[in-house]
Amino acid sequence: MPELPEVETIRRGLNDCIRGKKIREVKVFCEKSFIGPKEVILGAKVAELRRFGKALVIDLDNGVSLILHLRMTGQLIAWGFLSERKPQRKKPSKVSKSRTCRDFETENRPAFAGGHPDDSFLSKLPNRHTRVEIDFEDGKLFFNDQRKFGFVKPVPTDEVLSDKFIASLAPEPWKMTGRELWERLQRHKGASIKAVILDQKVICGLGNIYADEALYFAKIHPARPAGTVSLAEAETLIRGAREVMERSLESGGSTMATYVKADGTKGDYLELFAEVFRREGKECRRCGAEIVKIRVAGRGTHICPVCQPWDFSSEEKSQRKEPSKVSKSGTCPDFETDNGDIL
DNA sequence: CTAGGATCCTGTCAGC
DNA sequence: TGCTGACAGGATCCTA
């Protein structure tokens, strides 16, 4: 779930908590989740936080970096950090020994939770999904991951760019023109457009949510062979990808702030921007037709069947079978990502 | 080379 | 209530 906007939100949020902080202890609860020796990060301070697509990189001041990937169910929760900027208003409550992210927030100590939204944002930690805990001088960082697909991996900082995954990433939508995307699509003419834009080596940053949203924006049926997408459609698709991700970024992606509403009730960050994702059975906000869920590229896929007709102009069409139903901006924010992409 | 499916792992939910 | 199978927002590996 954590896609590019979520990881970028996490990068910014963690920056306020752990930058400049010294690592005291590392607890690995699941061997699979921490790839490499944990000793190499002990005593080091956090120098910089970078993001490459959906991967987060924490650079330390001892020549080591942590490459982090949240995959499907990863989350990062930081709390307990003392801030130089904002002095504490209240004294920490000493009643409960293990406190939650919210407790720290109300004490005005920087706390941050982002990634797969679930009740870990509100619960005591470590919990049964905590895979790695990094203790700093004055706070803790928890890496939670229900399905254990994500990982934390220490590597020499000068080898980050040559890491197999990071080196293979295509440019992000802000760095790619519609024509460039269209040219890349030609190398995967036969595959469904959705499968192709999910491929991080073709375009970087889109996951299942934003792929559906961007295709809806561009009014392209996700199962259409990539080779049938016109240059004009590819240009709209790129614009759509930028817009849906920027909109999510503005709302903070899947963070505690979007999961927990002001009144303390739980929310769903998708409702802040999703037009089709998990809206099956509901009305299309453009035309009023019913959003349906289908299966494309082995993934649950949401479309408006009227806005995104299967009917497209191509001779290849006849060779393809329409997939069956499963069930019923452009303006650039003023910041730069670490690989030089202007968002 | 491409395209599609299985796979890693755990939890939840629908259906019986 | 308990069981079973399908599915979940990612990416890689294997096969044809």
Short mmCIF file of all heavy atoms in Angstrom, two decimals, chain C:
data_model
loop_
_atom_site.label_atom_id
_atom_site.label_comp_id
_atom_site.label_asym_id
_atom_site.label_seq_id
_atom_site.Cartn_x
_atom_site.Cartn_y
_atom_site.Cartn_z
P DT C 1 -19.80 -17.38 18.48
OP1 DT C 1 -20.68 -17.45 19.63
OP2 DT C 1 -18.65 -16.56 18.32
"O5'" DT C 1 -19.42 -18.83 18.03
"C5'" DT C 1 -19.28 -19.90 18.97
"C4'" DT C 1 -18.69 -21.04 18.19
"O4'" DT C 1 -19.51 -21.29 17.03
"C3'" DT C 1 -17.28 -20.75 17.68
"O3'" DT C 1 -16.42 -21.80 18.07
"C2'" DT C 1 -17.41 -20.64 16.17
"C1'" DT C 1 -18.69 -21.41 15.88
N1 DT C 1 -19.45 -20.83 14.71
C2 DT C 1 -19.78 -21.65 13.67
O2 DT C 1 -19.48 -22.83 13.64
N3 DT C 1 -20.46 -21.04 12.65
C4 DT C 1 -20.86 -19.72 12.57
O4 DT C 1 -21.47 -19.31 11.61
C5 DT C 1 -20.50 -18.92 13.70
C7 DT C 1 -20.86 -17.47 13.73
C6 DT C 1 -19.81 -19.49 14.71
P DG C 2 -14.94 -21.90 17.61
OP1 DG C 2 -14.23 -22.72 18.62
OP2 DG C 2 -14.51 -20.53 17.31
"O5'" DG C 2 -15.02 -22.72 16.24
"C5'" DG C 2 -15.50 -24.07 16.24
"C4'" DG C 2 -15.24 -24.65 14.87
"O4'" DG C 2 -16.17 -24.05 13.92
"C3'" DG C 2 -13.85 -24.36 14.33
"O3'" DG C 2 -13.38 -25.50 13.62
"C2'" DG C 2 -14.07 -23.18 13.38
"C1'" DG C 2 -15.45 -23.49 12.83
N9 DG C 2 -16.19 -22.33 12.37
C8 DG C 2 -16.31 -21.10 12.98
N7 DG C 2 -17.06 -20.26 12.32
C5 DG C 2 -17.46 -20.96 11.19
C6 DG C 2 -18.29 -20.58 10.11
O6 DG C 2 -18.85 -19.50 9.91
N1 DG C 2 -18.44 -21.61 9.19
C2 DG C 2 -17.88 -22.86 9.30
N2 DG C 2 -18.14 -23.71 8.32
N3 DG C 2 -17.11 -23.23 10.32
C4 DG C 2 -16.94 -22.24 11.22
P DC C 3 -11.85 -25.69 13.25
OP1 DC C 3 -11.38 -26.95 13.84
OP2 DC C 3 -11.15 -24.43 13.58
"O5'" DC C 3 -11.87 -25.84 11.67
"C5'" DC C 3 -12.66 -26.86 11.06
"C4'" DC C 3 -13.03 -26.42 9.67
"O4'" DC C 3 -13.82 -25.23 9.75
"C3'" DC C 3 -11.82 -26.07 8.79
"O3'" DC C 3 -11.67 -27.06 7.80
"C2'" DC C 3 -12.14 -24.70 8.21
"C1'" DC C 3 -13.61 -24.49 8.56
N1 DC C 3 -13.98 -23.07 8.83
C2 DC C 3 -14.79 -22.38 7.92
O2 DC C 3 -15.18 -22.95 6.89
N3 DC C 3 -15.13 -21.09 8.17
C4 DC C 3 -14.71 -20.48 9.28
N4 DC C 3 -15.07 -19.23 9.49
C5 DC C 3 -13.88 -21.17 10.22
C6 DC C 3 -13.54 -22.44 9.96
P DT C 4 -10.41 -27.02 6.78
OP1 DT C 4 -10.17 -28.39 6.28
OP2 DT C 4 -9.32 -26.26 7.45
"O5'" DT C 4 -10.98 -26.13 5.60
"C5'" DT C 4 -12.17 -26.52 4.92
"C4'" DT C 4 -12.32 -25.60 3.73
"O4'" DT C 4 -12.85 -24.33 4.19
"C3'" DT C 4 -10.99 -25.32 3.04
"O3'" DT C 4 -11.12 -25.53 1.64
"C2'" DT C 4 -10.69 -23.86 3.37
"C1'" DT C 4 -12.05 -23.28 3.70
N1 DT C 4 -12.05 -22.21 4.75
C2 DT C 4 -12.88 -21.12 4.58
O2 DT C 4 -13.61 -20.98 3.63
N3 DT C 4 -12.82 -20.20 5.59
C4 DT C 4 -12.03 -20.25 6.74
O4 DT C 4 -12.07 -19.36 7.57
C5 DT C 4 -11.18 -21.42 6.83
C7 DT C 4 -10.27 -21.56 8.02
C6 DT C 4 -11.23 -22.33 5.85
P DG C 5 -9.82 -25.43 0.69
OP1 DG C 5 -9.84 -26.56 -0.25
OP2 DG C 5 -8.63 -25.18 1.52
"O5'" DG C 5 -10.16 -24.11 -0.13
"C5'" DG C 5 -11.50 -23.86 -0.53
"C4'" DG C 5 -11.60 -22.42 -0.99
"O4'" DG C 5 -11.68 -21.55 0.17
"C3'" DG C 5 -10.41 -21.94 -1.81
"O3'" DG C 5 -10.91 -21.19 -2.91
"C2'" DG C 5 -9.61 -21.08 -0.83
"C1'" DG C 5 -10.72 -20.52 0.06
N9 DG C 5 -10.30 -20.16 1.41
C8 DG C 5 -9.43 -20.82 2.24
N7 DG C 5 -9.27 -20.25 3.40
C5 DG C 5 -10.11 -19.14 3.35
C6 DG C 5 -10.36 -18.13 4.31
O6 DG C 5 -9.90 -18.01 5.44
N1 DG C 5 -11.27 -17.19 3.84
C2 DG C 5 -11.85 -17.20 2.60
N2 DG C 5 -12.70 -16.21 2.31
N3 DG C 5 -11.63 -18.14 1.69
C4 DG C 5 -10.74 -19.07 2.13
P DA C 6 -9.96 -20.59 -4.02
OP1 DA C 6 -10.51 -20.98 -5.34
OP2 DA C 6 -8.56 -20.88 -3.68
"O5'" DA C 6 -10.23 -19.04 -3.80
"C5'" DA C 6 -11.57 -18.55 -3.73
"C4'" DA C 6 -11.51 -17.07 -3.44
"O4'" DA C 6 -11.19 -16.88 -2.04
"C3'" DA C 6 -10.45 -16.33 -4.25
"O3'" DA C 6 -11.00 -15.09 -4.70
"C2'" DA C 6 -9.31 -16.15 -3.26
"C1'" DA C 6 -10.06 -16.03 -1.94
N9 DA C 6 -9.29 -16.47 -0.77
C8 DA C 6 -8.49 -17.57 -0.66
N7 DA C 6 -7.94 -17.72 0.53
C5 DA C 6 -8.42 -16.63 1.25
C6 DA C 6 -8.21 -16.21 2.57
N6 DA C 6 -7.43 -16.86 3.44
N1 DA C 6 -8.83 -15.08 2.97
C2 DA C 6 -9.61 -14.44 2.10
N3 DA C 6 -9.88 -14.73 0.83
C4 DA C 6 -9.25 -15.86 0.46
P DC C 7 -10.17 -14.21 -5.73
OP1 DC C 7 -11.16 -13.66 -6.68
OP2 DC C 7 -8.98 -14.95 -6.20
"O5'" DC C 7 -9.66 -13.03 -4.81
"C5'" DC C 7 -10.55 -12.39 -3.91
"C4'" DC C 7 -9.72 -11.60 -2.93
"O4'" DC C 7 -9.19 -12.47 -1.93
"C3'" DC C 7 -8.54 -10.89 -3.59
"O3'" DC C 7 -8.69 -9.49 -3.45
"C2'" DC C 7 -7.33 -11.40 -2.82
"C1'" DC C 7 -7.95 -11.93 -1.53
N1 DC C 7 -7.18 -13.00 -0.85
C2 DC C 7 -6.92 -12.86 0.52
O2 DC C 7 -7.35 -11.87 1.12
N3 DC C 7 -6.23 -13.83 1.15
C4 DC C 7 -5.79 -14.89 0.47
N4 DC C 7 -5.10 -15.81 1.14
C5 DC C 7 -6.03 -15.03 -0.94
C6 DC C 7 -6.73 -14.07 -1.55
P DA C 8 -7.78 -8.52 -4.34
OP1 DA C 8 -8.69 -7.58 -5.00
OP2 DA C 8 -6.84 -9.34 -5.13
"O5'" DA C 8 -6.89 -7.74 -3.28
"C5'" DA C 8 -7.49 -7.08 -2.17
"C4'" DA C 8 -6.40 -6.75 -1.16
"O4'" DA C 8 -6.26 -7.86 -0.27
"C3'" DA C 8 -5.01 -6.59 -1.77
"O3'" DA C 8 -4.81 -5.22 -2.15
"C2'" DA C 8 -4.09 -6.96 -0.62
"C1'" DA C 8 -4.93 -7.91 0.21
N9 DA C 8 -4.49 -9.30 0.10
C8 DA C 8 -4.49 -10.08 -1.02
N7 DA C 8 -4.04 -11.29 -0.81
C5 DA C 8 -3.72 -11.30 0.54
C6 DA C 8 -3.20 -12.28 1.39
N6 DA C 8 -2.87 -13.52 0.99
N1 DA C 8 -3.00 -11.95 2.69
C2 DA C 8 -3.30 -10.72 3.09
N3 DA C 8 -3.81 -9.72 2.39
C4 DA C 8 -4.00 -10.08 1.10
P DG C 9 -4.84 -4.80 -3.58
OP1 DG C 9 -6.09 -4.07 -3.66
OP2 DG C 9 -4.58 -5.89 -4.54
"O5'" DG C 9 -3.57 -3.87 -3.65
"C5'" DG C 9 -3.56 -2.68 -4.39
"C4'" DG C 9 -2.44 -1.80 -3.88
"O4'" DG C 9 -2.95 -0.97 -2.84
"C3'" DG C 9 -1.25 -2.51 -3.27
"O3'" DG C 9 -0.10 -1.69 -3.46
"C2'" DG C 9 -1.58 -2.60 -1.79
"C1'" DG C 9 -2.28 -1.28 -1.61
N9 DG C 9 -3.33 -1.29 -0.59
C8 DG C 9 -4.18 -2.31 -0.27
N7 DG C 9 -5.01 -2.01 0.69
C5 DG C 9 -4.69 -0.69 1.02
C6 DG C 9 -5.24 0.17 1.99
O6 DG C 9 -6.16 -0.06 2.78
N1 DG C 9 -4.61 1.41 1.99
C2 DG C 9 -3.60 1.77 1.15
N2 DG C 9 -3.11 2.99 1.28
N3 DG C 9 -3.07 0.97 0.24
C4 DG C 9 -3.66 -0.24 0.23
P DG C 10 0.84 -2.17 -4.65
OP1 DG C 10 1.57 -1.04 -5.26
OP2 DG C 10 0.07 -3.11 -5.47
"O5'" DG C 10 1.91 -3.01 -3.81
"C5'" DG C 10 2.74 -2.36 -2.87
"C4'" DG C 10 4.17 -2.85 -3.04
"O4'" DG C 10 4.22 -4.26 -2.79
"C3'" DG C 10 4.72 -2.65 -4.44
"O3'" DG C 10 6.09 -2.31 -4.29
"C2'" DG C 10 4.55 -4.01 -5.11
"C1'" DG C 10 4.67 -4.96 -3.93
N9 DG C 10 3.82 -6.14 -4.03
C8 DG C 10 2.53 -6.19 -4.47
N7 DG C 10 2.01 -7.40 -4.41
C5 DG C 10 3.03 -8.17 -3.88
C6 DG C 10 3.07 -9.56 -3.57
O6 DG C 10 2.18 -10.39 -3.71
N1 DG C 10 4.30 -9.94 -3.06
C2 DG C 10 5.36 -9.10 -2.85
N2 DG C 10 6.47 -9.65 -2.34
N3 DG C 10 5.34 -7.79 -3.13
C4 DG C 10 4.15 -7.41 -3.64
P DA C 11 6.93 -1.86 -5.54
OP1 DA C 11 7.91 -0.89 -5.02
OP2 DA C 11 6.02 -1.49 -6.62
"O5'" DA C 11 7.74 -3.17 -5.96
"C5'" DA C 11 8.74 -3.65 -5.07
"C4'" DA C 11 9.12 -5.05 -5.44
"O4'" DA C 11 7.99 -5.91 -5.40
"C3'" DA C 11 9.74 -5.21 -6.84
"O3'" DA C 11 11.03 -5.73 -6.64
"C2'" DA C 11 8.82 -6.20 -7.55
"C1'" DA C 11 8.16 -6.91 -6.38
N9 DA C 11 6.84 -7.45 -6.67
C8 DA C 11 5.79 -6.80 -7.26
N7 DA C 11 4.71 -7.55 -7.40
C5 DA C 11 5.10 -8.76 -6.85
C6 DA C 11 4.42 -9.99 -6.71
N6 DA C 11 3.16 -10.18 -7.11
N1 DA C 11 5.09 -11.00 -6.13
C2 DA C 11 6.35 -10.81 -5.74
N3 DA C 11 7.10 -9.72 -5.83
C4 DA C 11 6.40 -8.72 -6.41
P DT C 12 12.07 -6.03 -7.80
OP1 DT C 12 13.34 -5.46 -7.35
OP2 DT C 12 11.50 -5.68 -9.10
"O5'" DT C 12 12.21 -7.62 -7.73
"C5'" DT C 12 12.37 -8.23 -6.46
"C4'" DT C 12 12.19 -9.73 -6.62
"O4'" DT C 12 10.80 -10.05 -6.83
"C3'" DT C 12 12.95 -10.29 -7.82
"O3'" DT C 12 13.60 -11.47 -7.38
"C2'" DT C 12 11.86 -10.59 -8.84
"C1'" DT C 12 10.69 -10.94 -7.93
N1 DT C 12 9.33 -10.75 -8.50
C2 DT C 12 8.41 -11.75 -8.37
O2 DT C 12 8.65 -12.80 -7.81
N3 DT C 12 7.19 -11.49 -8.92
C4 DT C 12 6.80 -10.33 -9.58
O4 DT C 12 5.67 -10.21 -10.03
C5 DT C 12 7.82 -9.31 -9.69
C7 DT C 12 7.50 -8.03 -10.39
C6 DT C 12 9.01 -9.56 -9.16
P DC C 13 14.84 -12.04 -8.16
OP1 DC C 13 15.97 -12.07 -7.22
OP2 DC C 13 14.96 -11.37 -9.47
"O5'" DC C 13 14.35 -13.54 -8.42
"C5'" DC C 13 13.62 -14.22 -7.39
"C4'" DC C 13 12.83 -15.36 -8.02
"O4'" DC C 13 11.56 -14.87 -8.52
"C3'" DC C 13 13.54 -16.03 -9.21
"O3'" DC C 13 13.46 -17.43 -9.06
"C2'" DC C 13 12.76 -15.55 -10.42
"C1'" DC C 13 11.37 -15.35 -9.84
N1 DC C 13 10.54 -14.35 -10.56
C2 DC C 13 9.18 -14.64 -10.83
O2 DC C 13 8.72 -15.71 -10.48
N3 DC C 13 8.45 -13.72 -11.48
C4 DC C 13 8.98 -12.55 -11.85
N4 DC C 13 8.20 -11.68 -12.49
C5 DC C 13 10.35 -12.24 -11.59
C6 DC C 13 11.09 -13.16 -10.95
P DC C 14 14.33 -18.40 -9.98
OP1 DC C 14 14.99 -19.34 -9.06
OP2 DC C 14 15.11 -17.60 -10.93
"O5'" DC C 14 13.22 -19.18 -10.81
"C5'" DC C 14 12.13 -19.80 -10.14
"C4'" DC C 14 11.03 -20.10 -11.15
"O4'" DC C 14 10.42 -18.85 -11.56
"C3'" DC C 14 11.54 -20.78 -12.41
"O3'" DC C 14 10.87 -22.02 -12.56
"C2'" DC C 14 11.21 -19.81 -13.55
"C1'" DC C 14 10.12 -18.93 -12.94
N1 DC C 14 10.07 -17.55 -13.47
C2 DC C 14 8.87 -17.07 -14.06
O2 DC C 14 7.91 -17.84 -14.12
N3 DC C 14 8.85 -15.81 -14.53
C4 DC C 14 9.91 -15.02 -14.42
N4 DC C 14 9.81 -13.78 -14.90
C5 DC C 14 11.13 -15.48 -13.85
C6 DC C 14 11.16 -16.74 -13.39
P DT C 15 11.36 -23.05 -13.70
OP1 DT C 15 11.23 -24.38 -13.10
OP2 DT C 15 12.64 -22.60 -14.28
"O5'" DT C 15 10.24 -22.88 -14.83
"C5'" DT C 15 8.87 -23.00 -14.47
"C4'" DT C 15 8.01 -22.51 -15.60
"O4'" DT C 15 8.15 -21.09 -15.75
"C3'" DT C 15 8.35 -23.13 -16.96
"O3'" DT C 15 7.21 -23.76 -17.48
"C2'" DT C 15 8.78 -21.93 -17.82
"C1'" DT C 15 8.14 -20.76 -17.12
N1 DT C 15 8.85 -19.46 -17.26
C2 DT C 15 8.15 -18.37 -17.71
O2 DT C 15 6.96 -18.42 -18.02
N3 DT C 15 8.87 -17.21 -17.79
C4 DT C 15 10.20 -17.04 -17.47
O4 DT C 15 10.74 -15.95 -17.58
C5 DT C 15 10.87 -18.23 -17.01
C7 DT C 15 12.33 -18.14 -16.65
C6 DT C 15 10.18 -19.37 -16.93
P DA C 16 7.32 -24.76 -18.77
OP1 DA C 16 6.43 -25.90 -18.51
OP2 DA C 16 8.75 -24.99 -19.06
"O5'" DA C 16 6.70 -23.89 -19.95
"C5'" DA C 16 5.40 -23.33 -19.81
"C4'" DA C 16 5.18 -22.35 -20.94
"O4'" DA C 16 6.00 -21.17 -20.70
"C3'" DA C 16 5.59 -22.87 -22.32
"O3'" DA C 16 4.59 -22.53 -23.26
"C2'" DA C 16 6.89 -22.13 -22.63
"C1'" DA C 16 6.67 -20.81 -21.88
N9 DA C 16 7.89 -20.10 -21.52
C8 DA C 16 9.06 -20.63 -21.07
N7 DA C 16 10.00 -19.72 -20.83
C5 DA C 16 9.38 -18.51 -21.13
C6 DA C 16 9.84 -17.18 -21.08
N6 DA C 16 11.04 -16.83 -20.69
N1 DA C 16 8.96 -16.22 -21.47
C2 DA C 16 7.73 -16.58 -21.87
N3 DA C 16 7.21 -17.80 -21.95
C4 DA C 16 8.08 -18.74 -21.57
#
